[in-house]
Amino acid sequence: MKAPTMKQVAQMAGVSSSTVSRVINHSAPVNEDLQKKVMKAVEALGYSPDQIARSLRKGKTNVVGVIIPNITNPFFPVIVKGAEDYLRKQNYLIMLGNSDFDLKMEKKLFNTLKAKNVDGLLFVGSGGRTPFIDNLENRKKIVFVDRIYENIEKNYVIVDNIKGMNDLVNYLLDLNHKSFVMINGKKRTYTAEKRREGFELALKNANISQYEIIYSGYSYEKGYETALSLKEIPDAVVCGDDMIAFGVIDALKKRGINVPEDVSVTGFDDLTFSSKFSPPLTTMHQPIYELGFEAAKLLVKIINDKQIKKNKIILPTTLVPRKTTALRLKKTS
Amino acid sequence: MKAPTMKQVAQMAGVSSSTVSRVINHSAPVNEDLQKKVMKAVEALGYSPDQIARSLRKGKTNVVGVIIPNITNPFFPVIVKGAEDYLRKQNYLIMLGNSDFDLKMEKKLFNTLKAKNVDGLLFVGSGGRTPFIDNLENRKKIVFVDRIYENIEKNYVIVDNIKGMNDLVNYLLDLNHKSFVMINGKKRTYTAEKRREGFELALKNANISQYEIIYSGYSYEKGYETALSLKEIPDAVVCGDDMIAFGVIDALKKRGINVPEDVSVTGFDDLTFSSKFSPPLTTMHQPIYELGFEAAKLLVKIINDKQIKKNKIILPTTLVPRKTTALRLKKTS
DNA sequence: TTGTAAGCGTTATCAT
DNA sequence: ATGATAACGCTTACAA
């Protein structure tokens, strides 16, 4: 039972398909009687226009590609949801692909999506530099989300990672912390580098040189391992993201070290779970949903080729003090 | 700069577009020399075939629609990942939609996806019965995942919820628990009803009548609220899923009731987080990833119209005893 | 083996 | 206001 076509509707209503098209799209005035006839035929047949044919003809699919590293990581679904909520209103559908943090897959996905004629692309990079993006004519239709690269100088929506981490460390400084270990994401990934900058900036301004930076990776497991092998426990362990922080805290628990009594631990992200962790995690809140929402908004603007004034969007982060940090009273060094 | 077309490639290579098509698709033998010429032109122009045009012509899009309730809930992304991992190998892309647990949206999404000519649909229902699914000719191309309805009697991949919950309660029974409260998902949702069945089945077999069933909703917040207002604390609180269990445990903590010393609490799902919760959650593991993977596999089979022998797939659950349950020593009633 | 031409289901242009 | 027709970019009979 194949789907009914416009031609069939036209036949049934005793008009030409042009008229059917006009009625359906309200693209030109049509006699009321005919309109009714057409609508009746549409109802009767349960007709709905074939979007593939329409796309071919109009050169527009109303589909937006979304490439994320891994949907299974609690951070990215929120971006997708934000994007979808905006896109739905604008009559766009999402074609989704996980790159699994793999540059090759990223590239392949990009090409597949492009071949499918998506009208635009929301690109949440896997973190490393992506040279294939570099010389891309139609980079115009791409909005980069959360992570950018040196050569990307427009069409992105990110968070101020430097300021965010700087604020966070300043908070720790105010709480009289004197020695620090940063357990960060993988080296060379955009967010990890920016957060490191913020971290070092704050310490430099406070004239603190007693710190160490460890690039492990954005995951619970990495955080756990790293914290397990930590020789000296500092006043504060500053983590690159919340997942790391969870792992770190659990590892410290395992070692019999109390958080926040013996050491403060902080995250970065403020995942849904972070407030429910035990103890509730002190972290830097990112507007994750807005990241996706704003990116979608910008992308649609770009697609519609309006003159874009604001094509670099930097969203603010906000400190969320909870229970994994405490005032340091005695000197530890 | 529009994408190059097959015609342009043909022109450059000095052949007809049919030949280009044949070379690209390996659909018919082509003289080696011509092949080379064509490939050279393809390279030169950076040509890749327009999938929209191809889809229109072939009546196949190689896109599968996926409808889930909410990507933000940690359960569903895992299904999507499983599905994608299989579909990618089969050269399918995913078009994703969140129904937000809303029947209207579900229906709308369904129609939109259908209009986009997806080759098939993975449907993770929002839980309630969905009458619009009932009289659907092309239900043939839909695979129902995780949740089904009374009138769905084939093409689904689910978990044995009754057995799962039954096993779980039996485990509690073995641990000498005598009184129970079940805090469940919303009434009338498929999984909630099945799990209730399993719960009651086990208690009936054990001749235990001291129990209560509360339908609250599958969320941390619902679990929290419900546990906060619990008058009498039973030996065990059996939760409809892990999210509820997290909320329940936190609420009990708040009330100064110790888990598992004073009361056992169990979940259902075994989310990634459940082993990291504190204390680590005793729960019934669901093969969530496999749910998506197997569903995708079945769907592709259906799309290819092979004779399907096994179109009802019921995956097993496995008990994961962790730290929120303990042997009950003294009588509590 | 290769080319010509029809057709997939729309929309847009041009007459009428 | 309405209808005939071409075109979107591809695949596939059918011819040659």
Side-chain angles (χ1 to χ4, degrees):
Chain A
M1 187 87 78
K2 299 210 59 171
T5 143
M6 197 152 154
K7 213 166 156 186
Q8 294 173 41
V9 174
Q11 214 151 22
M12 181 178 245
V15 298
S16 75
S17 24
S18 327
T19 300
V20 176
S21 174
R22 285 192 269 256
V23 171
I24 289 187
N25 299 301
H26 309 285
S27 51
V30 170
N31 181 293
E32 275 211 20
D33 291 354
L34 289 193
Q35 281 203 40
K36 276 180 190 156
K37 276 189 198 167
V38 169
M39 288 316 292
K40 217 154 87 181
V42 166
E43 293 292 328
L45 294 172
Y47 169 78
S48 83
D50 182 330
Q51 300 296 329
I52 293 292
R54 178 180 282 183
S55 295
L56 178 59
R57 179 59 232 243
K58 312 229 307 184
K60 187 162 194 316
T61 53
N62 274 310
V63 173
V64 159
V66 176
I67 297 180
I68 57 176
N70 190 332
I71 197 184
T72 269
N73 178 318
F75 184 78
F76 301 108
V78 184
I79 292 184
V80 176
K81 189 62 168 56
E84 198 198 338
D85 282 352
Y86 181 78
L87 289 172
R88 202 207 297 291
K89 286 191 272 182
Q90 306 294 319
N91 247 287
Y92 283 88
L93 235 36
I94 280 183
M95 244 180 205
L96 184 76
N98 289 284
S99 67
D100 281 325
F101 290 96
D102 178 81
L103 248 53
K104 289 237 176 57
M105 187 55 82
E106 226 169 40
K107 181 170 180 176
K108 206 178 147 195
L109 264 174
F110 174 82
N111 288 327
T112 317
L113 254 12
K114 191 173 140 194
K116 291 273 186 209
N117 279 0
V118 294
D119 293 336
L121 187 62
L122 252 28
F123 189 85
V124 188
S126 63
R129 285 225 27 232
T130 312
F132 83 90
I133 289 286
D134 293 7
N135 43 0
L136 233 44
E137 350 65 70
N138 54 354
R139 208 162 70 182
K140 289 175 269 177
K141 306 291 198 175
I142 306 182
V143 169
F144 296 86
V145 192
D146 185 45
R147 296 159 187 214
I148 56 178
Y149 313 102
E150 292 135 28
N151 49 320
I152 306 296
E153 68 298 299
K154 55 176 207 164
N155 295 352
Y156 59 73
V157 181
I158 57 173
V159 128
D160 194 338
N161 286 284
I162 299 184
K163 179 170 187 309
M165 189 53 94
N166 184 69
D167 289 354
L168 180 61
V169 176
N170 279 335
Y171 167 76
L172 255 15
L173 256 11
D174 287 346
L175 254 36
N176 203 32
H177 293 72
K178 303 290 188 194
S179 62
F180 297 81
V181 167
M182 176 177 199
I183 303 183
N184 204 354
K186 275 218 199 80
K187 197 152 190 164
R188 292 186 187 293
T189 79
Y190 175 77
T191 52
E193 290 303 343
K194 292 302 169 188
R195 289 170 198 172
R196 176 195 50 75
E197 276 185 51
F199 175 77
E200 293 197 293
L201 183 64
L203 294 187
K204 192 174 173 185
N205 285 337
N207 262 311
I208 288 191
S209 58
Q210 197 178 350
Y211 68 87
E212 185 187 358
I213 295 173
I214 303 171
Y215 290 94
S216 67
Y218 287 136
S219 76
Y220 178 94
E221 287 71 19
K222 289 291 181 185
Y224 193 91
E225 290 167 22
T226 310
L228 228 43
S229 63
L230 227 46
K231 298 277 191 315
E232 291 179 45
I233 304 302
D235 288 352
V237 177
V238 174
C239 301
D241 76 355
D242 284 3
M243 292 304 287
I244 295 179
F246 296 151
V248 166
I249 292 170
D250 282 355
L252 292 174
K253 265 187 208 161
K254 182 102 179 179
R255 292 177 62 174
I257 300 166
N258 296 319
V259 177
E261 292 78 7
D262 301 333
V263 51
S264 291
V265 177
T266 60
F268 201 107
D269 275 353
D270 193 22
L271 302 176
T272 317
F273 226 91
S274 304
S275 61
K276 288 146 195 168
F277 196 77
S278 116
L281 185 68
T282 295
T283 190
M284 185 56 63
H285 174 84
Q286 291 203 61
I288 315 180
Y289 180 90
E290 287 75 17
L291 229 37
F293 195 90
E294 292 301 323
K297 213 160 155 182
L298 176 55
L299 182 58
V300 169
K301 265 189 204 150
I302 291 172
I303 290 173
N304 293 336
D305 203 25
K306 282 171 195 147
Q307 290 310 333
I308 321 294
K309 54 262 128 185
K310 220 177 157 314
N311 55 19
K312 310 177 189 189
I313 300 180
I314 300 178
L315 267 23
T317 61
T318 57
L319 180 68
V320 185
R322 285 198 278 247
K323 304 292 183 195
T324 56
T325 45
L327 185 62
R328 286 281 88 84
L329 296 174
K330 53 174 181 171
K331 280 223 163 174
T332 58
S333 54
Chain B
M1 186 87 80
K2 299 211 57 171
T5 141
M6 196 150 156
K7 214 167 155 184
Q8 293 173 42
V9 174
Q11 214 151 21
M12 180 177 246
V15 298
S16 74
S17 27
S18 338
T19 301
V20 176
S21 172
R22 287 191 269 255
V23 171
I24 288 187
N25 299 301
H26 308 286
S27 51
V30 169
N31 182 294
E32 274 211 20
D33 290 353
L34 289 193
Q35 282 203 40
K36 277 179 191 157
K37 276 190 198 167
V38 168
M39 288 316 292
K40 218 155 84 182
V42 166
E43 292 293 327
L45 293 172
Y47 171 78
S48 83
D50 182 329
Q51 299 297 329
I52 294 291
R54 176 180 282 182
S55 295
L56 178 59
R57 177 63 229 245
K58 312 230 305 183
K60 188 164 193 316
T61 54
N62 274 318
V63 174
V64 159
V66 176
I67 297 181
I68 57 177
N70 190 330
I71 197 184
T72 269
N73 177 318
F75 184 78
F76 301 109
V78 184
I79 292 184
V80 176
K81 188 64 167 58
E84 198 199 338
D85 282 353
Y86 181 78
L87 289 172
R88 200 207 297 291
K89 284 191 274 183
Q90 307 294 318
N91 247 287
Y92 282 89
L93 235 35
I94 280 182
M95 243 180 206
L96 184 76
N98 289 283
S99 66
D100 280 326
F101 290 97
D102 178 82
L103 249 53
K104 289 236 176 58
M105 186 55 82
E106 226 170 38
K107 182 171 180 175
K108 206 178 145 196
L109 264 174
F110 174 82
N111 288 327
T112 317
L113 254 12
K114 191 174 141 194
K116 289 274 186 209
N117 279 1
V118 294
D119 293 336
L121 188 63
L122 253 28
F123 189 85
V124 188
S126 63
R129 283 220 35 229
T130 312
F132 83 91
I133 290 285
D134 293 6
N135 42 1
L136 232 45
E137 349 66 69
N138 54 351
R139 208 162 70 182
K140 289 173 269 175
K141 305 293 198 173
I142 306 182
V143 169
F144 296 87
V145 192
D146 185 46
R147 297 158 188 215
I148 55 178
Y149 313 102
E150 292 135 28
N151 50 321
I152 306 296
E153 68 298 299
K154 55 176 207 164
N155 295 351
Y156 58 74
V157 181
I158 57 173
V159 128
D160 194 338
N161 287 285
I162 299 183
K163 178 170 188 308
M165 189 53 93
N166 183 69
D167 289 354
L168 181 59
V169 175
N170 279 335
Y171 168 74
L172 254 16
L173 257 11
D174 287 346
L175 253 35
N176 204 32
H177 293 72
K178 304 290 188 194
S179 61
F180 296 82
V181 168
M182 177 178 199
I183 302 184
N184 204 355
K186 276 218 200 79
K187 196 152 191 164
R188 291 187 188 292
T189 79
Y190 174 77
T191 51
E193 290 304 343
K194 293 301 169 189
R195 289 171 199 172
R196 176 194 51 75
E197 276 186 52
F199 174 78
E200 292 197 295
L201 183 64
L203 294 188
K204 193 173 173 188
N205 285 338
N207 262 312
I208 288 191
S209 57
Q210 197 178 350
Y211 69 87
E212 185 188 358
I213 296 173
I214 303 172
Y215 290 95
S216 66
Y218 286 136
S219 76
Y220 179 93
E221 286 72 19
K222 289 290 182 188
Y224 194 91
E225 290 167 21
T226 310
L228 228 44
S229 63
L230 228 45
K231 298 275 191 312
E232 291 179 46
I233 304 301
D235 288 351
V237 177
V238 173
C239 302
D241 77 355
D242 284 3
M243 293 305 286
I244 294 179
F246 296 150
V248 166
I249 292 170
D250 282 353
L252 292 174
K253 265 186 207 160
K254 182 102 178 178
R255 293 176 60 174
I257 301 166
N258 295 318
V259 176
E261 293 78 6
D262 303 332
V263 52
S264 291
V265 178
T266 61
F268 201 108
D269 275 352
D270 193 22
L271 302 176
T272 317
F273 226 91
S274 303
S275 61
K276 288 146 195 168
F277 196 76
S278 128
L281 185 68
T282 295
T283 189
M284 185 56 64
H285 174 84
Q286 290 203 60
I288 315 180
Y289 181 89
E290 287 74 16
L291 230 37
F293 195 90
E294 292 301 323
K297 213 159 155 182
L298 176 56
L299 182 58
V300 169
K301 266 189 203 150
I302 292 172
I303 290 173
N304 293 337
D305 203 25
K306 283 172 194 147
Q307 290 308 333
I308 320 293
K309 54 259 131 183
K310 222 178 156 313
N311 55 18
K312 310 177 190 190
I313 301 180
I314 301 178
L315 266 23
T317 61
T318 57
L319 180 69
V320 185
R322 286 198 276 248
K323 304 293 181 194
T324 56
T325 44
L327 185 62
R328 286 282 87 83
L329 295 174
K330 53 175 181 171
K331 279 222 165 174
T332 57
S333 55

